[in-house]
């Protein structure tokens, strides 16, 4: 297809990636935000989101003239062929998705949209949202399309340009096909569906991944109680093509901007049609229990009490490769540790200070100073390459709790420390005999 005139409303993680990538595919894209300072920074090529390749795409889009940033959606959409809604849909009261931002944009632009312009929901929205938007706009000449995003933080640009699939749903089939054609040139199957099915796909995918993560964390706990090794168990599982290797690593629990809100939202959607989604509610409960188990493991390394314990934390972001702290399990665990009386010093390569309840430092070796325990909570690869003998020398205690199974236990033992992971046998430091 020829280059389309696209407006992307919202320049957060999803919106900025969507706008920059669509511009790289040859479309003329205007990205809209209400934050004047943010628009000015983006217009100057200043990208504050930590996402590999995104800043470079924005710079190229600006240089080519195919990507622009403006304040205010109402004027921006007047010449558009398609408007992507990429605004936040956070968890609202009771766990349902909060659609106030979607509704506000819809109310702002509905009467000035050109005839035939497609309104496309990229944000994760519950089933029935397309129908709701269509009713709000109240125009038969403006189709509404669901085109959910499947972007993982730290690999979002790659996921957009090399997707597993492109899902497009609408009760106006011609509009769905047109949106699918926007991605021409990407080697991926296009799934055309009705609006409700497309809206449900994103929830179904994310909640399945949450189930898988909760399952492997449960298996890790079972491994600890039975004396098995979760790494060997998941290796054996992963060769089964029906299961695969992804999302089989235990950790301190799942978090981030998607899984917590999407699992809660789908539970609420199920309740609205009188279905008790017990499997999913159990996965949510297991995720909370996993964080409690991690806290108990750390407390055990401190002799059973956290009051007055000095804890060095490595990692605060919810996953490596991002500076996103939203629903971070690292922060959740640290918060409980602090509430139980621990003194926390933390380091993350992508996070600066300003977090209540802890001291955030800019040097990983500072977290070891006088620490009773050092805890790995985010899987940054650089933690493997720390000078662990120097860390050991700075510590008061001798325990490393590796909630990501990131470190080589032999390396920790060689430094004179003990190592314990999740679902794996504890590796105790070698005692030096005293003559």
């Amino acid at each position: 297809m020829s280059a389309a005139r696209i407006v992307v409303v919202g320049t957060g993680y999803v919106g900025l990636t969507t706008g920059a990538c669509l511009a790289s595919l040859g479309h003329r894209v205007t990205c809209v935000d209400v934050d004047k300072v943010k628009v000015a920074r983006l217009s100057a090529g200043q990208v504050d989101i930590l996402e590999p390749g995104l800043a470079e795409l924005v710079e190229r889009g600006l240089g080519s003239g195919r990507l622009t940033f403006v304040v205010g959606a109402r004027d921006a959409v007047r010449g558009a062929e398609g408007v992507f809604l990429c605004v936040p849909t956070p968890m609202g009261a009771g766990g349902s998705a909060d659609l106030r931002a979607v509704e506000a944009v819809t109310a702002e632009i509905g009467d000035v949209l050109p005839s035939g312009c497609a309104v496309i929901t990229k944000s994760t929205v519950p089933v029935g949202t397309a129908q709701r938007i269509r009713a709000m706009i109240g125009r038969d000449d403006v189709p509404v399309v669901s085109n959910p995003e499947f972007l993982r933080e730290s690999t979002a640009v790659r996921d957009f340009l090399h997707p597993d699939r492109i899902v497009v749903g609408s009760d106006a089939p011609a509009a769905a096909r047109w949106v699918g054609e926007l991605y021409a040139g990407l080697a991926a199957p296009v799934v055309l569906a009705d609006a409700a099915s497309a809206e449900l796909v994103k929830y179904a995918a994310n909640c399945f991944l949450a189930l898988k993560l909760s399952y492997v964390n449960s298996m890790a706990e079972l491994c600890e109680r039975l004396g098995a090794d979760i790494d060997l168990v998941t290796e054996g599982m992963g060769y089964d093509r029906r299961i695969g290797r992804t999302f089989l690593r235990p950790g301190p629990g799942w978090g981030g901007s998607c899984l917590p809100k999407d699992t809660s939202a789908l539970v609420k959607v199920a309740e609205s049609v009188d279905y008790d989604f017990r499997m999913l509610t159990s996965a949510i409960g297991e995720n909370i229990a996993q964080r409690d188990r991690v806290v108990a493991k750390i407390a055990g390394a401190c002799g059973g009490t956290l009051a007055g314990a000095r804890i060095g934390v490595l990692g605060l972001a919810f996953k490596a490769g991002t500076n996103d702290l939203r629903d971070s399990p690292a922060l959740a665990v640290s918060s409980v540790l602090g509430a139980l009386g621990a003194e926390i010093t933390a380091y993350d390569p992508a996070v600066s200070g300003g977090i209540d309840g802890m001291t955030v430092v800019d040097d990983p070796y500072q977290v070891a100073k006088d620490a009773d325990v050092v805890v790995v909570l985010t899987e940054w690869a650089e933690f493997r390459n720390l000078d662990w003998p120097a860390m050991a020398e700075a510590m008061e205690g001798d325990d490393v709790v590796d909630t990501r199974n990131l470190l080589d236990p032999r390396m920790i033992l060689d430094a004179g420390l003990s190592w314990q992971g999740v679902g794996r046998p504890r590796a105790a430091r070698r005692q030096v005999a005293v003559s």
Side-chain angles (χ1 to χ4, degrees):
M1 67 182 303
S2 58
R5 299 186 303 279
I6 302 296
V7 170
V8 175
V9 182
T11 60
Y13 168 74
V14 172
L16 187 57
T17 302
T18 297
C21 288
L22 285 173
S24 77
L25 296 178
H27 302 297
R28 304 192 69 83
V29 181
T30 300
C31 289
V32 175
D33 205 285
V34 295
D35 187 333
K36 295 180 181 179
V37 174
K38 188 176 184 181
V39 167
R41 287 180 59 80
L42 288 171
S43 297
Q46 299 173 353
V47 176
D48 297 324
I49 298 172
L50 180 60
E51 187 61 50
L54 183 56
E56 292 81 1
L57 275 187
V58 169
E59 184 177 359
R60 287 203 294 270
L62 291 169
S64 69
R66 289 194 297 269
L67 181 64
T68 56
F69 297 92
V70 301
V71 177
R74 189 170 175 84
D75 288 336
V77 303
R78 292 182 187 274
E81 297 173 83
V83 177
F84 282 84
L85 304 185
C86 300
V87 294
T89 54
M91 189 188 306
S96 298
D98 184 344
L99 297 179
R100 284 179 294 179
V102 172
E103 293 169 348
V105 173
T106 301
E108 180 183 359
I109 67 175
D111 63 329
V112 295
L113 290 166
S115 180
C117 177
V119 175
I120 308 151
T121 55
K122 200 73 171 170
S123 305
T124 302
V125 294
V127 175
T129 301
Q131 190 174 39
R132 190 170 175 177
I133 292 172
R134 189 165 58 248
M136 285 187 66
I137 294 174
R139 292 173 53 183
D140 293 335
D141 62 336
V142 174
V144 179
V145 181
S146 174
N147 176 216
E149 54 87 9
F150 299 98
L151 307 178
R152 299 167 295 171
E153 293 193 45
S154 78
T155 60
V157 171
R158 186 175 71 197
D159 291 343
F160 192 103
L161 297 177
H162 305 278
D164 294 327
R165 77 293 203 192
I166 297 163
V167 177
V168 186
S170 179
D171 298 331
R177 287 193 296 271
W178 180 82
V179 172
E181 290 169 1
L182 294 175
Y183 299 91
L186 301 184
V190 177
V191 179
L192 294 176
D194 58 274
S197 297
E199 289 168 337
L200 191 55
V201 166
K202 178 60 185 292
Y203 283 110
N206 274 359
C207 292
F208 180 80
L209 296 177
L211 288 169
K212 200 172 180 182
L213 287 169
S214 285
Y215 178 80
V216 78
N217 280 334
S218 297
M219 289 301 304
E221 176 65 14
L222 195 57
C223 283
E224 290 189 12
R225 298 187 183 203
L226 296 175
D229 188 324
I230 190 64
D231 282 6
L232 298 177
V233 171
T234 55
E235 180 183 2
M237 292 170 60
Y239 283 110
D240 189 326
R241 286 172 293 182
R242 297 169 301 174
I243 298 173
R245 296 183 177 279
T246 58
F247 283 74
L248 284 183
R249 290 189 63 84
W254 38 265
S257 62
C258 293
L259 296 191
K261 73 179 183 68
D262 290 353
T263 50
S264 293
L266 188 56
V267 167
K268 298 303 291 185
V269 167
E271 289 176 355
S272 72
V273 291
D274 198 27
Y275 177 65
D276 182 5
F277 206 149
R278 285 173 290 180
M279 184 181 298
L280 189 53
T281 55
S282 293
I284 295 170
E286 176 59 29
N287 194 49
I288 297 170
Q290 180 67 5
R291 295 177 186 181
D292 292 340
R293 288 194 288 263
V294 166
V295 170
K297 191 185 295 284
I298 297 168
C302 293
T305 180
L306 288 163
R310 294 183 295 274
I311 308 295
V313 167
L314 291 173
L316 293 170
F318 91 93
K319 63 181 282 190
T322 178
N323 56 358
D324 197 341
L325 297 174
R326 287 175 291 179
D327 277 300
S328 168
L331 279 186
V333 169
S334 297
S335 177
V336 175
L337 294 174
L340 293 174
E343 300 174 11
I344 301 169
T345 302
Y347 166 79
D348 189 292
V351 178
S352 57
I355 299 177
D356 292 340
M358 67 182 71
T359 300
V360 180
V361 296
D362 58 6
D363 181 346
Y365 294 97
Q366 292 181 33
V367 307
K369 182 175 173 56
D370 299 326
D372 296 305
V373 178
V374 168
V375 184
V376 177
L377 286 172
T378 308
E379 69 281 18
W380 289 98
E382 71 175 63
F383 297 155
R384 293 193 186 103
N385 301 320
L386 293 177
D387 183 341
W388 281 98
M391 295 281 285
E393 186 174 351
M395 290 175 64
E396 180 70 23
D398 57 20
D399 276 287
V400 174
V401 177
D402 182 2
T403 72
R404 298 286 187 167
N405 293 350
L406 177 73
L407 308 175
D408 182 347
R410 294 169 297 182
M411 175 181 65
I412 303 304
L413 290 177
D414 288 344
L417 299 169
S418 296
W419 177 93
Q420 55 180 317
V422 175
R424 299 190 65 196
R426 185 174 185 270
R429 72 186 182 95
R430 293 185 288 273
Q431 300 293 328
V432 178
V434 178
S435 56

